[in-house]
Amino acid sequence: MSTAIMATGEFDLIGRYFEHQKINRPDVDLAIGDDCALLRVPEGYQLAISTDSLVAGTHFLADADPKQVAHKALASNLSDLAAMGATPAWVSLALTLPSFDEQWLSAFCEGFFQLAEQYNVQLIGGDTTKGPLSITLTVQGFVPLGQALTRSGASSTDAIYVTGQLGDSAAGLALLLKGKQCDNTALSQALMTRHFMTMPQVEAGTLLRGKASAALDISDGLIADLGHILKRSNVGAEIYTEALPISAELAAFCQTPEQAQQMALSSGEEYQLCFTVPVEQCDDVEALMAKQGIQISRIGQLTENKGIVLLNNGEPVNWQLSGWDHFESESK
Ligand code: ADP
Ligand code: MG
């Protein structure tokens, strides 16, 4: 066999690579192997669909661990479903690879299917091409008709919450970019792992159906993303910076509490949810989340005055944050 034929043949086989998965959902009539997948949406539900691309050199380093890259690609997509209050069901994968690298592929599959199995998401198809490394996923999920969590439903009296902790992803990325992969301190390892291995807040999203007035996931930084809710809902916000959830690791990584809070405000790729709740529902939502062991923090209040005011222990502060400009220019 000539090498040219070999190379094409190998690429043709890549589709088959993804056929071996444990998830076998009853709403999938036909999955990988034909021209299209055939799927059923349950009655009374809307289909929520989202696509995200990860490009080597832009969203991850080309030599990053493929298992972690796969996790991040799927987690960031599932996070969009979570932010809509949707339950994940299906995913398709468009993969562009510079070469056929079996070791890379099998590690990628391991990371991908580990997370897919956790959320009962079935890979239903995709495409494989040769070129600069990039990964595009389209996820699909179900949300009961009319109950999706949009960005536009917030009122000026609602409280602002976030799930989990914020800032670790930016700290982890800073360590990675400084080339500290060999830095084996537990602290650095924990922060770098948070950057790649964050979990989508799917359970929190589904619990918030019918309770949150607006929601989104934090991919560009809390300030920048909250700006989308403010714009869509035509309101402003006050943020209590001391209420931002900071991990012990981030506190140790930063010189001062304020520095950690600034990272929490601007850190992207957190994949935590930011959501708003009518004041009379706050006790209910807090009790519901506590019962499920999901950490949430009340970090501020929506206002009628447009824009975002940062308050540090009650005093307005004028911190220069990355992500801030993005919001300022968008709100004009
Ligand atoms: P076509 O010529 O119809 O595009 P392909 O050879 O690209 O078919 O794909 C064959 C089957 O393998 C299809 O069902 C497709 O959905 C699936 N497939 C190809 N690449 C991938 C991938 N990266 N992930 C999942 N399924 C894939
Ligand atoms: Mg194809």
Side-chain angles (χ1 to χ4, degrees):
M1 202 189 283
S2 79
T3 44
I5 293 169
M6 268 269 290
T8 327
E10 281 172 340
F11 259 76
D12 281 346
L13 283 176
I14 293 176
R16 300 246 182 94
Y17 226 89
F18 292 101
E19 281 181 66
H20 306 287
Q21 54 177 324
K22 292 189 192 129
I23 311 272
N24 206 351
R25 293 177 58 101
D27 47 25
V28 176
D29 290 329
L30 195 56
I32 294 174
D34 215 307
D35 296 315
C36 293
L38 296 173
L39 312 162
R40 294 176 198 224
V41 181
E43 203 158 332
Y45 285 77
Q46 282 170 300
L47 190 62
I49 306 183
S50 177
T51 298
D52 255 325
S53 290
L54 264 72
V55 177
T58 304
H59 302 99
F60 62 93
L61 302 172
D63 62 353
D65 177 352
K67 196 176 160 188
Q68 293 184 338
V69 171
H71 178 101
K72 187 177 167 183
L74 185 53
S76 68
N77 275 268
L78 293 176
S79 178
D80 284 317
L81 290 180
M84 215 67 193
T87 305
W90 312 313
V91 60
S92 42
L93 165 66
L95 198 55
T96 305
L97 299 171
S99 63
F100 178 75
D101 179 343
E102 197 161 0
Q103 226 177 348
W104 193 94
L105 264 175
S106 70
F108 181 88
C109 285
E110 195 186 330
F112 189 89
F113 288 124
Q114 213 169 56
L115 187 59
E117 280 163 27
Q118 214 163 324
Y119 289 99
N120 195 32
V121 180
Q122 185 166 345
L123 181 65
I124 45 104
D127 198 22
T128 313
T129 50
K130 194 167 180 171
L133 179 59
S134 83
I135 300 145
T136 299
L137 295 179
T138 298
V139 285
Q140 307 186 51
F142 309 139
V143 62
L145 192 61
Q147 285 192 31
L149 305 172
T150 64
R151 298 174 175 189
S152 57
S155 305
S156 60
T157 50
D158 294 351
I160 308 168
Y161 286 85
V162 292
T163 60
Q165 293 166 326
L166 296 178
D168 290 357
S169 180
L173 180 61
L175 288 164
L176 278 165
L177 292 177
K178 276 190 198 146
K180 291 199 175 173
Q181 287 97 324
C182 302
D183 184 343
N184 272 323
T185 66
L187 178 68
S188 299
Q189 288 300 326
L191 291 169
M192 288 190 283
T193 303
R194 299 272 168 76
H195 176 71
F196 274 109
M197 299 306 280
T198 131
M199 294 303 280
Q201 296 300 308
V202 169
E203 194 188 1
T206 52
L207 287 170
L208 289 171
R209 283 176 191 161
K211 298 201 162 51
S213 50
L216 46 59
D217 65 322
I218 301 173
S219 53
D220 295 332
L222 173 64
I223 291 294
D225 288 317
L226 176 63
H228 299 309
I229 290 184
L230 303 186
K231 193 178 170 203
R232 291 293 181 108
S233 299
N234 202 25
V235 290
E238 279 178 354
I239 303 289
Y240 318 132
T241 61
E242 70 284 354
L244 291 163
I246 308 286
S247 71
E249 288 83 359
L250 185 65
F253 175 79
C254 292
Q255 313 288 327
T256 62
E258 286 74 21
Q259 196 191 357
Q261 291 161 17
Q262 288 169 13
M263 286 192 101
L265 289 166
S266 57
S267 173
E269 300 178 340
E270 289 286 341
Y271 305 120
Q272 297 295 339
L273 301 184
C274 171
F275 58 96
T276 57
V277 179
V279 184
E280 63 276 11
Q281 294 232 44
C282 286
D283 288 348
D284 252 17
V285 167
E286 287 178 20
L288 181 68
M289 293 294 179
K291 200 171 150 206
Q292 298 302 317
I294 297 171
Q295 182 187 345
I296 60 169
S297 307
R298 188 168 174 171
I299 57 147
Q301 180 67 45
L302 294 180
T303 57
E304 275 179 32
N305 297 332
K306 302 296 177 310
I308 299 177
V309 175
L310 298 179
L311 297 171
N312 183 236
N313 295 311
E315 293 295 320
V317 286
N318 191 11
W319 290 342
Q320 297 304 309
L321 304 165
S322 53
W324 182 267
D325 292 348
H326 175 63
F327 166 66
E328 295 271 283
S329 58
E330 280 222 342
S331 63
K332 275 180 191 143

